[in-house]
Amino acid sequence: MWLDDFRAVYTREKQWTSARLSGVGIICHSGDASVTVPLEADQRHDDAGLDPSAVMDLRLFKSSFSDKNEFSWATPQPFWGFPFHETCWILLAILHKPQEFEAQALHGLFRSLPHVSVGLLSFGHNYGGIMKYLPKPEEHIPGEEYEIYRRYGRRRYYPQDPKRDPMEYSDPLNISSLQEIFQQNLKGQGEFHEKNNADKATMTNDTPLRVSNPTDCFQIFPTEISDCILMFLPSKDVLNVKLASATFAALPLTKTFWASRFQRGFEFHCVFESHGLQTKDYDWESIYFGVRSLQDNYNFKNRRRIWKLLLLVEELHGRLISAELQGTASYSFFEPDAPEDKRSWNLASGVLNEPEIDFSDGCRSLFTRTVDITFKVTGVFVTFARFNGMEYVSGLRFQQHNGVSSSLGYVVLNEEIEMDVDGSLLSKDGCGISGFYLAINSRGVRAISLILSSGKVSKWFGKHDGIPKTRLFLNHGDVISLKAGFDAFKMVALGSLGDDFTPTGLSDLRDHARWLPDLPNESLSLNVSSLPLRTRRPPTKYEPLTMVLYGGLHGAHLSKLTEISVWMGEYMEILGIYFTYSTEVDGHKVHTFGRRWPSGRDERNRVPCDCFGTGDCSLDDCPRDKRVDFPIDGPQGEIINRVDLHNDIDGAFMGFRINTSFNRTATFPQKLVDDYPDEYPLLPVETAKLTTITGFYAILSSSQAMRCLGVISEYIRKDDYRGAIPEARRKAKRTLSMTQTE
């Protein structure tokens, strides 16, 4: 079966730069950690007289490079690599003709991707629909990243599972129906009888002629120009333009147009049988509708699915072989011969996986580069690399006053973007770069913004909405020193000179945590003393802190708050907090912090119950979740003036209590405190003096309880109090008066 034959891009032990393409081997069991495969690309496992010395035992998907044996029960294998179905490799070669793929580039690409399951690398997509996303899209929380997993427990493709789509088993390379279509429509070989006449009528030259419209601007174009316009349009837009314009409605679709549907960028580019054929020799209109009639053919569906995935590989391969890594090489596990840089660095990064551990999520730094910029910077340029439809920062270039450029990473001059295009930021005397704002997900740097010594900030470059953010300040002095980590195509870490994090230091949580939706405003106090130490440390996992300013900046919305609701799970874990307002705030009267109160059935087919977990429910399938609603009289000046937390002995968040300025309290969950008053004591959060509580921050998840809870407060000026939060104003005045008396 076609699914058994495979090739691999492989290397031996720690020969990182010596990757090769293997011959064709065979996989008998999908769970095998090692397989036997010929060493040379022109050999097959079933070649007659194949010399046993010409084959190797190959370790698949190796991602941990510890000196210890990865599997105690297995014999260590010197050869390791990443497999490709032979059929997919043939399709990839056809796609990339006449060039050949470089095994070294592909090996570097695959080393840059997490290994998430047996036989799977995580490209960020769901393999054309045959894998599932976790969490489900309807349960997704902003900033949360999707993981993929198999739809079915059975890993092997056969014996065929009736629950699986037969497309997955179907050979995408040899499709007899396609060959028949081309044979039947070769000029002089007869006519192909279309089945989808209704579809054809909407696209062919039989479109009714419309009355000339003097407002139709396309009337002035020569026919040749109109033909060219149609050839560049996607097929669905061709129909739309024919409906919108009488000129195009009357224009016949030429043989060249129909042939263009099989070119790169159009719907049937995957029909490689059409590549290189002469337009004049075939009835391309009939071929188009003949191929279109194969939409439900399992083999053709699989061809289209795989072709789209291979286009992503080809795009990345093109970047890998065209962009050279720039900067001064620094010692790392994968470059042991580079000189060691012993300076201390502050790094902002994705979720970096060290070489000694299993690479199952996040990113891995394969190369480390540094740059020292000695002259005043007059221009900054950023280069991006595309990966699965997303853009990542791949390199930075700094233009200096003396005309010299210093580059860091994969810089492509004809693709880079200038970050100060009008010269309004860096051209002024004495204005330099003091740092960066960075949008970073688990896989690397998605967007960047300049922080200037004048206090100005540039706009964002790259995708930053919904991406966790942090900031990186540069070292003071005449020389700007930067260090960055890279995988095979993108930046995964960026750092500046500085001291390592110390728990007792004065480092700001803004500088090493990742924040959603944005970094907290400088006017906000984060009151970090109440947080467990592990939350205050630089993150080692993808755990961004999500912030909600329920009171708004400067307390603008405190007077609108009318209710706080808390959703607790079956085991009293905090799942979500909801803030209800008297009027709409940013387009909504209810704002959700954490998981949403479910509107449908859960994973055990249970519906949310109106009992809210009160214990009075008689339903057998009640999920036993509990929602507690606590009214807040914001219009009359009631505010939260104290928050008490209860954490377990390891610092894990268990619950909290809010206290209001009207001497009312609410505890979530109350039962935990009632049953275990000594084990889970409530401890007050120490907020900055003269500040008012206006928000919270936490680590959120769609599949787990809320982890940690931080309190945000802000000093609100007298002018901000007027008419908005009278009680808060009175409280601040009383506090200020007491302070002055003391």
Side-chain angles (χ1 to χ4, degrees), residues 644-669:
D644 303 326
L645 300 178
H646 45 93
N647 301 325
D648 68 12
I649 192 171
D650 296 321
F653 173 59
M654 304 295 292
F656 68 107
R657 172 183 291 166
I658 57 176
N659 306 264
T660 80
S661 56
F662 284 9
N663 295 319
R664 299 191 308 120
T665 65
T667 305
F668 314 98

Side-chain angles (χ1 to χ4, degrees), residues 22 38 42 72 142 197 423 433 439 442 488 494 498 505 534-535 539 585 703 714:
S22 78
D42 60 353
S72 58
N197 291 325
I433 303 171
S442 69
L494 181 64
R534 63 186 178 189
T535 303
V585 172
S703 59
E714 182 181 10

Side-chain angles (χ1 to χ4, degrees), residues 175-201:
I175 307 176
S176 58
S177 301
L178 276 178
Q179 298 166 2
E180 292 173 3
I181 289 172
F182 281 93
Q183 291 172 359
Q184 292 175 357
N185 287 280
L186 180 62
K187 195 171 182 180
Q189 297 295 318
E191 297 295 330
F192 179 79
H193 300 285
E194 303 87 356
K195 296 180 181 179
N196 294 341
N197 291 325
D199 284 344
K200 183 175 180 179

Side-chain angles (χ1 to χ4, degrees), residues 286-329:
S286 294
I287 291 174
Y288 176 87
F289 285 100
V291 172
R292 189 163 167 170
S293 71
L294 299 179
Q295 300 282 10
D296 295 328
N297 179 286
Y298 292 133
N299 300 76
F300 187 61
K301 286 171 65 176
N302 208 22
R303 164 89 67 90
R304 298 187 75 178
R305 177 185 71 87
I306 292 173
W307 195 266
K308 290 179 181 178
L309 303 180
L310 295 178
L311 283 169
L312 298 176
V313 175
E314 185 199 33
E315 180 183 30
L316 274 175
H317 176 267
R319 169 52 64 93
L320 294 174
I321 63 176
S322 64
E324 181 180 352
L325 185 60
Q326 300 186 49
T328 302

